[in-house]
Amino acid sequence: MTATQDTTQLSTRITVRPVAPRPTRGSTRALLTCAVLTTPVFGIVSLTQAFTREGFDLLRHPLSMLSTGDLGWLQIGNFWITAVLTVAGAIGLRRVMRGTPGGTWAPRLLLVEGAGLAAAGVFSMDPGDGFPAGTPLGAPAGMSWHAMLHMAAGSVAFTALIAACFVLSRHFARAGRAGHAMASRLGGLALLLGNGWAMSGGRAGSLTLCVGVLVAMAWVSVVAAVKRADVG
């Protein structure tokens, strides 16, 4: 066999596989910035409406009820925008946490949270208990199908966010960041207790749920900011 034949046979055995482009540092920082922005966007838009829309009482009405009425499109848009920011942030966290404890499940759970928020924007709650203004006081006589789907979507989003906080706690504990691990557990616990109190019909349950959601979301935003600084 000649040298030319050897070279020809060898070339036929070599398979050239295209190398996937590695994500750039800039794109990763941009995705993590989205996660940082989730809490300010959702919190500012929601609370501004809570304190300005006629008939809304945060002690009795959940933030989701802002999706009803003539200005309901504001909260619906808020759910969708927050969902997009959450999904983008989850992709960024997956990049920077790959290969670390919790690096697989924390981003996945945040993706589930984002999907739940998007669904909550699609299916709105029913008016009730004096909101929007002019609605009779008291709980509605029944619950519509879209209100039930909203409740289900919210439960999925809250459960995923709680679980993500506890997964992040493990991530930071294994990294030797005890303070960050404790903050992660507290974030998940705040939402767990706040939602549980609201679901049990506890006094001012809408307020405890609001606080729990914003605390847990805020901690994820802080985690994204920490990871973004590490990338930089």
Side-chain angles (χ1 to χ4, degrees):
M1 183 179 293
T2 66
T4 303
Q5 291 175 324
D6 289 341
T7 302
T8 303
Q9 290 185 2
L10 180 61
S11 64
T12 61
R13 297 175 187 174
I14 298 176
T15 302
V16 179
R17 296 180 179 179
V19 179
R22 297 183 62 182
T24 64
R25 179 179 299 181
S27 65
T28 300
R29 286 171 60 85
L31 291 169
L32 292 173
T33 300
C34 290
V36 174
L37 292 175
T38 54
T39 309
V41 169
F42 184 79
I44 291 173
V45 174
S46 296
L47 294 179
T48 299
Q49 294 182 83
F51 290 113
T52 58
R53 289 187 63 179
E54 182 183 359
F56 190 88
D57 183 357
L58 195 52
L59 296 177
R60 296 184 294 117
H61 303 134
L63 294 177
S64 292
M65 198 171 282
L66 292 167
S67 298
T68 62
D70 293 339
L71 295 177
W73 60 271
L74 287 170
Q75 190 66 0
I76 292 173
N78 192 24
F79 276 122
W80 289 344
I81 292 172
T82 305
V84 171
L85 292 174
T86 300
V87 170
I91 296 172
L93 285 173
R94 182 178 62 183
R95 290 183 181 181
V96 297
M97 294 177 63
R98 182 179 288 114
T100 65
T104 297
W105 278 104
R108 286 180 180 177
L109 288 166
L110 293 176
L111 285 173
V112 173
E113 181 203 354
L117 290 172
V122 173
F123 307 106
S124 60
M125 289 188 68
D126 296 323
D129 201 14
F131 185 82
T135 303
L137 294 174
M143 184 179 292
S144 66
W145 63 270
H146 52 81
M148 289 188 286
L149 288 176
H150 178 93
M151 297 290 288
S155 296
V156 169
F158 295 156
T159 301
L161 180 54
I162 292 168
C165 286
F166 285 107
V167 171
L168 288 171
S169 173
R170 175 176 176 269
H171 169 78
F172 286 117
R174 293 288 295 274
R177 296 185 175 184
H180 288 70
M182 177 60 70
S184 297
R185 286 191 289 270
L186 291 176
L189 190 61
L191 179 50
L192 179 64
L193 295 178
N195 185 48
W197 181 254
M199 293 299 100
S200 69
R203 184 177 178 83
S206 297
L207 179 61
T208 63
L209 176 59
C210 172
V211 172
V213 168
L214 292 180
V215 168
M217 289 181 64
W219 177 244
V220 174
S221 291
V222 170
V223 170
V226 170
K227 297 299 184 181
R228 185 179 185 277
D230 292 342
V231 171

